[in-house]
Every structure is written in C-alpha cells, then in structure tokens.
Amino acid sequence: MTKAIKLLTALPQPQRQSLMTLAKEVSFPEDFHIFEAGGTADRFWVIRSGAVSLTQQVTTHHRVTVGGLGSGDLLGWSWLFPPYQWDFGAEAFSPVRAHEFDAAAVLRLCEEDKQLGMILVRSVAEILAHRLETTRGKLMEQYGTHRRGGL
C-alpha cells in the first residue's frame, strides 16, 4: 500500500515557500458545503484544522460520505485535470480552517518553476493513489463481509 503523504510537507522548502505565497487563509463553518460534484474546480485547499467529508450524490435525495479529510490533507484535485469539474462534493464536518489556492495562479507558478510543477503533480498523484488503495481496501472488506454474511 502507498504511504499517505501531506502535500505541503512533500514539497522541498523552496518550493513550499513559493507555493505558500499564493495561499489565502479561509474558514468554513460546520455543515458548510465547500463544493458540489459537477461544479467548476478552480481552486484547492490544504486543511489546517477541522474535518471535511467527501460526498457523492447517489440519488436526488440521498448523499453518502465516501471519505474524510483532516489536518494537512489536500482537498480538491480536479483543478489539475480537464474538464476541471469536481468529482465529489465536500462538506465541513466540523469548523475548518484551510489554506486556499487559486488553481490558475498555481498553474502559472508551475510554468515558471518546472521543478515545483513536477513535484506538485507527483505529490497529487501519490495522494490519489493512496486514496484509491484505501477505498479499494474498504470496498473489498465490505464485499468480503457481505459475502460471508450472505452464505
């Protein structure tokens, strides 16, 4: 299994400092819908404190939680890939403080600093790989439990 990494600590100090010049401190109250699936993905966040639930709309009236994020975690990766739309929704599970980054500004910075761009893309890919493995493990566990109970 891949190791969980935190975006800001994965960056070498010079690149982290460069990226942080674009950070804006924001906060969200508990139960605040940060974004919805299908919306325009034009920013991302690194959570400083609090908890965020990742949600998926199953039916018109039913939303399920598919993951949770906390301090140091990257919230939002759809800004990096066309069609630049959120794949999930995100809701503050508790009061949240975060660093917010404008995607266009970060992408311009990555064009100027190719090393930052490569490290950032590689770090986001590692984060996604870890989340995929974790989700797959949960599904296998759930499926295995369901299968055993059904026999």
Side-chain angles (χ1 to χ4, degrees):
M1 181 179 244
T2 60
K3 179 182 161 201
I5 67 166
K6 306 293 184 182
L7 180 65
L8 294 180
T9 56
L11 298 173
Q13 184 64 21
Q15 282 74 27
R16 182 171 47 246
Q17 284 179 324
S18 183
L19 181 64
M20 289 305 293
T21 65
L22 302 176
K24 173 183 163 187
E25 290 193 27
V26 297
S27 60
F28 305 108
E30 184 175 348
D31 296 329
F32 182 80
H33 291 273
I34 301 168
F35 57 82
E36 294 291 337
T40 302
D42 59 356
R43 64 198 65 236
F44 66 95
W45 300 263
V46 174
I47 300 169
R48 296 179 61 211
S49 65
V52 173
S53 298
L54 298 176
T55 61
Q56 185 69 56
Q57 199 73 36
V58 179
T59 68
T60 310
H61 303 293
H62 185 63
R63 180 190 331 246
V64 296
T65 298
V66 295
L69 304 174
S71 182
D73 285 334
L74 171 67
L75 171 59
W77 51 265
S78 299
W79 61 275
L80 198 51
F81 307 101
Y84 310 107
Q85 293 180 328
W86 300 118
D87 289 317
F88 300 99
E91 183 175 330
F93 185 72
S94 68
V96 171
R97 290 179 33 217
H99 295 294
E100 181 179 89
F101 298 88
D102 177 84
V106 171
L107 291 171
R108 281 192 300 274
L109 182 61
C110 289
E111 284 297 318
E112 295 168 10
D113 182 347
K114 301 291 187 195
Q115 184 179 8
L116 170 61
M118 179 57 92
I119 294 168
L120 187 65
V121 168
R122 188 175 291 150
S123 296
V124 171
E126 284 184 53
I127 291 166
L128 292 175
H130 177 74
R131 289 183 188 170
L132 178 61
E133 286 182 12
T134 300
T135 301
R136 181 177 29 209
K138 287 178 184 176
L139 287 172
M140 294 300 288
E141 183 178 291
Q142 184 177 8
Y143 178 74
T145 301
H146 176 71
R147 292 272 298 166
R148 282 192 298 276
L151 294 177

